[in-house]
Amino acid sequence: MDDHEPEHAYTKHFDFSRLEEPPQPYAANMPEIEMEGVVTRIVYENTENGFFVGRLRTEELAPEVTFIGNLMAISPGETVRLQGHWEENNRFGRQFRTSSMEVILPTSAQGIEKYLGSGLIPGIGPVYAKRLVEAFGVETLQVISDAPERLRHVPGIGKKRAGQIREAWDKQRAVQSIMIFLQGHGITAGQAVRIYKQYGDAAAATLRANPYRLARDITGIGFLTADRIARQMGIAVDAPARIKAGVLHALSEAGDAGHIFYRGEELRTAAAELLKVSEDTFMPILTEMLNDRELIQEGDAWYLPLMHAAETGCAERLKRLLRAPLEHVPIQVENALKWVEKRVGISLSEEQREAIRVGVQAKVMVITGGPGTGKTTVIKSLLAILEAKGISYLLAAPTGRASKRMEAATGGEACTIHRLLEFSPVNGTFQRDEKNPLEADLVVVDESSMLDIHLAHALFRALSPGARLVLVGDVDQLPSVGPGNVLLDSIASGVVPVVRLETVFRQAAQSGIIANAHRVNHGELPVFNEEDFFLISREDPQKALETIVEVVSKRLPARFGLDPLRDIQILAPMRRGVAGVENINQAMKQALNPDSPLAPHRNFGVGDKVMQTKNNYELDVFNGDVGVVTVLDTEAGEMEVRFEDDRRVLYPLDALDNLTTAYCTTVHKAQGSEYPAVVLAFLPQHYMMLQRNVLYTAITRGKRLVVVVGSGKAVAMAVHNSNIARRNTRLSDRLRNAL
């Protein structure tokens, strides 16, 4: 930003979500105008919905103007032609609301150099951009497009790099061409990229043939987007393809909410509301879908086939485990308890002793309890006893961070469930199943409250009938992000032996964090002790946001010597809003790392804290892994991330979809993780998520320090709200009926 330009609000902390709301017109019936210029900066980009805040330099207006809108992917240095109108925002001033955009290739040597040097084309950065323009001048882009063999005359560009540049160029032009088509149908930039990856050059033809395929094939695109396109194409409201897609979407939405199925009335209501047609219209289609096995009906429960197979499969596999005889291994339990106490150097409580007694005799069992109740001690003791009797075991957890914590706590080797089951990224399947079971007598799963029905099914399928299974977890935490409630249902069935540890050990009880976690879980207000458990009262969301930034960037490092990136994790119940995850991340970046160059079409760059959101076995990174971007090499088309265990992972710049800024994350996303310090945004504006188990889960993520920034009223609302929406599942019933 130029020195003479007044400081713009976009450089401060503000709620980007407010800009993404339907705009207020600058003037009534204002006609759209056209504006052309060079993009100098992307201030903000939401890769999920394509919303941009950018700066544009034009010949007519000085020094620069702000443009906003849901646009195709663009980069600094590109010349664009914008259609839209001016509007006046009470907070952010005058800005150009863009309705459509066209990328114009630069024609001057200087413009081409800046365009190529932006990192838009993998393999070309500032150095090679300069060399290319020096070699070919204004013909550079034409050479790349039509005569890529000439690139080899440029120093440092061999046959391989020349091929990569041409391939990347062709892909970029194809994506932009398709984006122009898709933009006319309201599809965002991020969605357009995913569509192109799925269908390639056939994207437009595929959309014209059956736009509802998008809801089935493309992650992040649901029925509503596909339906909007279909309606624009003239597909009738009562078309069978539309009704089928709508019903499948309704059941998919049920899964996203944690349900395994919808009851008949729930499905009819959801379908009617979504499709805006009468029951008489879609009921015959439901019958047809049942006949075609696109749906499964069981009494009043309506399932997607995969959901039904997962739930029935889980019940069948657990039944098989429970019925199979336990291989007889002579263990004198009381002697074993004395032996393990001496070996480990501990004195077990009676609760822990009972858990071990059950553990040495059970085919399947659950160990549950809150923090400080000694679950780890039970597991270590049980493993020591069984290992001494020649019983082999495997340790696993749903996430990478949880498996690492398990490994550190038990001293045994642990891994993610996906790695345990040998997930193949090539075909998206597990190599371990009933035909190729796990080679272990015992499998112990920690943080099993995170097990959704699909992952549980895959795990149970891979256990041999003679194997033992121990599920360890805190049933009072949030349930799995995915559908189902496997841990709770296993306990509720009454057929799986359960040991609940409730006694908080003296050393743990001295922790304000652990003491308050149990208070919250029992419906009592936490006590803010100003030692390891703090409340910084802020009623206004903007003030809360500013305080969070100050606390993380200044106060905690100064008082406790904590590193803002390595030691502190900000949590929030919701993604949107002034004090939501997205806005906090943007504010923290501005505070800690404002000037770093961004990866193309991303909100992060060198020095930013990022999180992997899906398991990637090719790169050996897993859901929940947190690291810092250390290198951004636009010449090589790569970005390096250093993760917490000092692993350095190279990401291709076109493969960053599963990385996200991680100064702040949701409480749900933090399941299975622990951090030295947690700063929790908690306000009445988060009312939809002010639930006891949300607060309890957030508190239990902190090891040394928890700081709540927000409202004591919001804390009280959460503590007293134990009315958690029940998920539609039948696993517990199936287990009861199976035996």
Side-chain angles (χ1 to χ4, degrees):
M1 186 175 294
D2 296 334
D3 292 338
H4 64 276
E5 184 181 1
E7 187 177 34
H8 200 277
Y10 291 124
T11 65
K12 292 187 174 292
H13 316 312
F14 65 96
D15 184 8
F16 286 104
S17 66
R18 294 183 179 180
L19 289 176
E20 300 185 50
E21 295 171 355
Q24 298 297 317
Y26 181 59
N29 301 318
M30 175 173 284
E32 287 200 338
I33 61 173
E34 187 175 278
M35 184 187 306
E36 187 174 313
V38 178
V39 179
T40 60
R41 183 183 173 205
I42 302 299
V43 179
Y44 172 76
E45 178 183 1
N46 186 327
T47 57
E48 293 299 315
N49 63 17
F51 181 79
F52 277 83
V53 178
R55 303 286 283 168
L56 189 76
R57 185 177 67 247
T58 71
E59 293 183 0
E60 296 84 9
L61 301 171
E64 289 180 350
V65 299
T66 297
F67 66 94
I68 65 174
N70 293 77
L71 308 168
M72 70 177 79
I74 51 176
S75 295
E78 290 191 291
T79 299
V80 296
R81 184 178 295 120
L82 307 178
Q83 295 278 347
H85 64 266
W86 291 102
E87 62 180 41
E88 192 73 26
N89 186 288
N90 292 332
R91 187 172 182 189
F92 307 122
R94 197 172 190 234
Q95 54 201 11
F96 191 78
R97 171 75 64 167
T98 307
S99 59
S100 64
M101 181 184 69
E102 177 185 359
V103 176
I104 303 170
L105 293 179
T107 56
S108 69
Q110 183 180 5
I112 291 171
E113 182 178 340
K114 187 169 183 179
Y115 173 76
L116 292 176
S118 68
L120 183 70
I121 309 298
I124 304 179
V127 174
Y128 281 106
K130 184 176 180 65
R131 292 180 186 177
L132 287 166
V133 172
E134 287 176 348
F136 306 116
V138 297
E139 297 181 353
T140 299
L141 299 182
Q142 185 178 349
V143 170
I144 294 174
S145 179
D146 301 332
E149 66 278 357
R150 294 178 59 191
L151 299 177
R152 297 170 62 182
H153 298 301
V154 176
I157 298 182
K159 182 178 181 180
K160 183 178 179 181
R161 185 181 287 271
Q164 290 173 337
I165 292 172
R166 170 61 187 274
E167 184 180 349
W169 172 262
D170 289 346
K171 180 180 177 181
Q172 180 70 21
R173 308 316 304 164
V175 170
Q176 287 192 344
S177 174
I178 290 171
M179 281 182 175
I180 292 171
F181 167 80
L182 297 175
Q183 185 177 261
H185 297 289
I187 293 177
T188 69
Q191 293 167 341
V193 171
R194 290 194 287 273
I195 291 170
Y196 180 77
K197 286 182 178 178
Q198 177 72 26
Y199 304 128
D201 295 339
T206 302
L207 248 65
R208 292 188 184 100
N210 182 8
Y212 292 106
R213 282 191 60 181
L214 294 175
R216 184 183 69 228
D217 297 340
I218 310 298
T219 303
I221 296 183
F223 172 80
L224 296 179
T225 299
D227 194 46
R228 184 175 65 247
I229 297 167
R231 304 293 294 130
Q232 289 177 350
M233 293 178 172
I235 293 178
V237 70
D238 59 352
R242 179 175 185 267
I243 291 175
K244 285 185 179 182
V247 169
L248 294 175
H249 174 73
L251 284 172
S252 178
E253 288 277 285
D256 291 342
H259 301 300
I260 301 295
F261 60 85
Y262 259 164
R263 293 180 175 84
E265 182 61 30
E266 293 170 327
L267 178 58
R268 290 189 293 272
T269 300
E273 184 177 331
L274 178 69
L275 295 166
K276 303 296 189 282
V277 297
S278 67
E279 286 190 24
D280 292 341
T281 301
F282 65 75
M283 286 306 293
I285 304 296
L286 288 181
T287 301
E288 183 182 328
M289 294 176 76
L290 284 173
N291 293 335
D292 293 340
R293 300 290 293 178
E294 294 178 274
L295 297 177
I296 291 176
Q297 184 182 11
E298 194 177 83
D300 194 39
W302 293 73
Y303 293 82
L304 290 173
L306 283 175
M307 286 287 197
H308 186 264
E311 186 174 75
T312 56
C314 277
E316 178 63 31
R317 296 291 167 179
L318 281 177
K319 175 186 73 174
R320 187 178 69 164
L321 285 175
L322 288 163
R323 284 180 170 175
L326 181 68
E327 183 179 344
H328 181 67
V329 179
I331 298 177
Q332 300 293 325
V333 180
E334 298 306 316
N335 291 338
L337 289 169
K338 295 176 183 178
W339 172 83
V340 81
E341 284 185 319
K342 186 176 181 180
R343 178 182 174 118
V344 182
I346 57 168
S347 178
L348 296 167
S349 70
E350 185 53 36
E351 281 183 344
Q352 292 174 317
R353 286 170 165 267
E354 182 59 24
I356 295 169
R357 291 187 188 105
V358 174
V360 298
Q361 299 173 2
K363 283 297 301 299
V364 182
M365 75 170 297
V366 170
I367 301 172
T368 187
T373 57
K375 295 190 297 294
T376 299
T377 299
V378 170
I379 294 302
K380 287 178 68 175
S381 301
L382 181 61
L383 292 177
I385 293 171
L386 294 178
E387 188 176 28
K389 292 294 183 176
I391 294 173
S392 62
Y393 64 84
L394 292 169
L395 309 178
T399 68
R401 290 179 67 94
S403 69
K404 290 167 188 166
R405 288 201 301 112
M406 187 184 194
E407 194 168 89
T410 63
E413 185 178 346
C415 62
T416 66
I417 296 174
H418 279 76
R419 183 173 288 283
L420 181 74
L421 302 181
E422 299 176 17
F423 180 77
S424 171
V426 176
N427 54 27
T429 61
F430 295 104
Q431 304 306 299
R432 293 287 184 174
D433 54 22
E434 62 272 19
K435 296 179 181 178
N436 183 28
L438 294 168
E439 297 169 2
D441 303 316
L442 166 68
V443 175
V444 182
V445 181
D446 199 11
E447 297 289 350
S448 53
S449 63
M450 299 175 67
L451 274 176
D452 65 35
I453 198 71
H454 298 296
L455 189 57
H457 184 214
L459 174 64
F460 298 166
R461 286 177 61 196
L463 299 174
S464 63
R468 306 169 187 235
L469 174 66
V470 177
L471 299 177
V472 186
D474 187 348
V475 75
D476 296 316
Q477 288 188 24
L478 288 167
S480 59
V481 175
N485 212 338
V486 175
L487 182 63
L488 181 62
D489 284 349
S490 298
I491 295 171
S493 72
V495 301
V496 176
V498 178
V499 176
R500 184 160 191 146
L501 304 176
E502 295 181 332
T503 303
V504 180
F505 286 86
R506 185 174 61 184
Q507 185 175 356
Q510 295 173 353
S511 162
I513 296 171
I514 291 177
N516 280 315
H518 286 276
R519 286 191 186 98
V520 167
N521 200 31
H522 294 146
E524 302 170 10
L525 292 175
V527 176
F528 298 99
N529 58 21
E530 304 298 314
E531 293 179 3
D532 63 356
F533 203 89
F534 296 79
L535 172 66
I536 302 177
S537 185
R538 296 290 186 272
E539 297 294 331
D540 178 68
Q542 180 64 33
K543 294 293 185 184
L545 173 63
E546 293 168 357
T547 300
I548 288 169
V549 172
E550 183 185 1
V551 165
V552 175
S553 62
K554 296 178 181 177
R555 288 205 230 171
L556 293 185
R559 180 171 175 180
F560 297 98
L562 296 170
D563 184 282
L565 296 182
R566 187 179 64 250
D567 299 328
I568 306 171
Q569 183 60 54
I570 309 169
L571 303 179
M574 300 177 68
R575 296 198 63 83
R576 303 295 296 273
V578 178
V581 170
E582 293 177 3
N583 223 45
I584 293 173
N585 272 325
Q586 185 66 23
M588 289 304 308
K589 178 173 175 57
Q590 288 294 324
L592 296 178
N593 193 34
D595 300 320
S596 67
L598 300 179
H601 312 307
R602 303 292 162 184
N603 296 326
F604 51 79
V606 176
D608 285 322
K609 186 176 182 178
V610 294
M611 175 185 286
Q612 180 75 15
T613 59
K614 290 186 178 179
N615 293 333
N616 186 325
Y617 293 88
E618 293 179 355
L619 296 177
D620 197 38
V621 289
F622 305 96
N623 183 17
D625 282 355
V626 175
V628 176
V629 179
T630 50
V631 176
L632 179 60
D633 189 341
T634 54
E635 306 284 356
E638 294 176 334
M639 188 183 78
E640 182 188 80
V641 178
R642 186 187 72 244
F643 288 96
E644 294 173 325
D645 56 1
D646 285 332
R647 284 179 301 124
R648 295 178 182 267
V649 179
L650 283 177
Y651 288 81
L653 292 182
D654 61 354
L656 303 179
D657 289 353
N658 297 327
L659 277 177
T660 185
T661 312
Y663 298 101
C664 179
T665 188
T666 62
V667 178
H668 280 80
K669 200 64 181 176
Q671 286 179 266
S673 300
E674 284 186 346
Y675 313 94
V678 162
V679 176
L680 174 64
F682 217 67
L683 293 142
Q685 286 75 14
H686 299 138
Y687 66 92
M688 292 182 63
M689 295 300 297
L690 296 183
Q691 300 168 351
R692 185 183 296 174
N693 61 350
V694 172
L695 180 59
Y696 175 75
T697 301
I699 291 171
T700 54
R701 300 310 90 199
K703 293 193 291 185
R704 293 171 48 193
L705 188 69
V706 171
V707 180
V708 180
V709 179
S711 164
K713 178 182 176 181
V715 172
M717 290 170 63
V719 169
H720 296 129
N721 181 15
S722 61
N723 298 319
I724 301 161
R726 181 161 178 85
R727 297 183 167 189
N728 291 345
T729 70
R730 287 188 171 175
L731 179 60
S732 60
D733 294 335
R734 294 183 190 279
L735 288 171
R736 278 194 294 269
N737 296 334
L739 298 174

